[in-house]
Amino acid sequence: MTLRSTVDFLLHDWLQVSTLSQRERFADHSRDTFDAVLDTCERIARDKFAPFNRTVDIEEPQFDGEQVVLPQATYDAREAYAASGMLSAAQDYDIGGMQLPYTVESAANAFFACASVSIGAGMLTVGNANLLMAHGTEKQKEVFALREFAGDWAGTMCLSEPQAGSSLSDIATRAMPDGDAFEADPLGPRYRLKGNKMWISTGDHELTENIVHLVLAKIPGPDGKTIPGVKGISLFVVPKKLVDAQGAMTGERNDVALAGLNHKCGWRGTVNTLLNFGEGKYPVRGAGLDGKGAGAIGYLVGKPGEGLRCMFHMMNEARIGVGMAATMLGLAGYYASLDYAKTRPQGRPMTSAGKDAASPQARIIEHADVKRMLLAQKSYGEGALALELYCARLVDEQHTGDAESANQARLLLEVLTPIAKSWPSEWCLEANSLAIQIHGGYGYTRDYPVEQYWRDNRLNMIHEGTHGIQALDLLGRKVLMEEGKGLWLLADRINVTVQKALDADNAHENVARTEHAHALAQALQRVGRATKMAWSSGVPNEALANAVPYMQAFGHTVLAWMWLEVALASEGEGAANAGRRAAAQFFFHYELPKIGAWLNVVESRDMTCAQLSEDAF
Ligand SMILES: Cc1cc2nc3c(=O)[nH]c(=O)nc-3n(C[C@H](O)[C@H](O)[C@H](O)COP(=O)(O)OP(=O)(O)OC[C@H]3O[C@@H](n4cnc5c(N)ncnc54)[C@H](O)[C@@H]3O)c2cc1C
């Protein structure tokens, strides 16, 4: 099955996405317009991204002392992507958008991630501009966001610092009011920023004429002290090159200096930077912080102290984007190893009379263990794609549904976002490992693409909140919030699917479907019980000691739900339906039973890891 046929099936046969055109916002759309967008993206991904995936890995970004050097292919891919209109696809018509549903936008962007995840298709730029549309002033939207949607400028998110990654409350970047009239600037209250931002993706390059940094920093009070914790964090828009109130470039370079590039294990097509803000390398306008123009000029977005809340607007989108990227890398490895397995002859089939050495060799796809590895990849990759598109559909519901269903979509997204980010990051990475395994020794060389997929995918458990941090968020916050409403709602949805499976009466699939429905109902009960038992002592350290095993079990239960949904939509004849039903069966037989071991330690609040003293290691 091709990626396109899987996407078409999930969007139309399963999610019925064309029904969105009954809503006012999407009234001009239909299956035809959705198909046209997918066709365009599939074509650009095939022509401008896929052929250069290895090029950008080998020719990783270099800093020549003046500027960042990237391969020509990156410029060509970016230009084609921007020209397609995808940067503003979901925006209103009156600012040049297509009012495309987010579900279709996500599906269309999946083709780029599959073709070359690290060339990048503008996820940060769109997320940055969307944040400004939600929290910026009218001027900030007009001057910065619209130029990003138009493709003229690119955007970044600058949260992490060398000493503050997971713990953003410890950021040290400071913002001081810029002169007495700092509040009168048309672009927003003007500050001078000083600090170091680490790991900033697309932090410097010449792909666009300007770069719009969104930067977290703390504003000290009159006593020079900052408010501890996340409440002290504010958000600033800091352009690399300064602009006037109409958005025209003033010719002044802002005091944002590239201190160096990070040389990564994978995802090498995207430049990753250490940026120094306000160190005085590019003195700019007036006295600044040192009387000589030091200090990067930044404009406050939202209110002081609300920086992280605003930033979360970008981070939630980014987390679904990361999950989709991990998924696509998983599927890219699946397709490569499937092709390989169909052509590689090795070994002979075992018959009841033993092996016949004179017979022709089997292709490795004929061996049961290779089929196991292929089916595992299919169940991880296509299951994850179903989950990402389901979450994207919830985003559309949140934005365009009636009040009640929009609120339900919001709550479900709260609970599902850690899974949407983390589950594909872990299991589609495992899929890439299996893709290498199917290639044998060849998979461990650079002659085949699968080792690069694994290296690229290894990032996803680290950025946008590590695996451990996502798990703490899920068990420590999301399943408890609003008195557990999100979790209850999810359980209701899963139970609807269970009932649907039990009620359906298609004879030839009935046995498997009933068995899967019961297994899913039991898994859901077990997750509910584990949630209660984890918190039964009321001691957070005990409850959260096994947050990652909890998230793994929660994620596997959600994926089993996805597979039962997909299997129910795949009851017809044909190889594609048979393949999806087999992947569902694989997931229920080989994967879902794993949750028992994960939840045992959660339920017993096992402290083996948490209480071990350092000197025992
Ligand atoms: C290639 C790449 C691109 C990136 N792009 C960006 C970007 O564009 N913008 C940006 O702002 N940042 C970016 N990041 C930074 C990324 O978000 C951080 O690396 C990540 O948040 C982790 O921070 P850290 O590296 O400091 O690790 P640490 O926070 O030091 O974590 C190290 C380990 O300790 C664990 N840990 C930490 N705290 C806890 C805790 N309380 N409980 C349990 N375990 C804990 C973590 O889970 C992890 O396993 C990028 C990183 C990389 C590698």
Side-chain angles (χ1 to χ4, degrees), residues 502 509-522 564 585 588-589:
L502 293 175
E509 281 305 319
N510 217 5
V511 177
R513 216 181 24 231
T514 305
E515 173 205 318
H516 298 166
H518 286 307
L520 177 57
Q522 276 167 14
L564 187 54
Q585 175 149 319
F588 276 94
H589 288 186

Side-chain angles (χ1 to χ4, degrees), residues 426 467-469 471-472 475 544-553 598 602:
E426 180 170 4
H467 222 50
I469 296 300
L472 292 175
L475 181 55
L544 299 174
N546 297 295
V548 165
Y550 175 82
M551 182 170 73
Q552 288 171 312
W598 289 323
V602 179

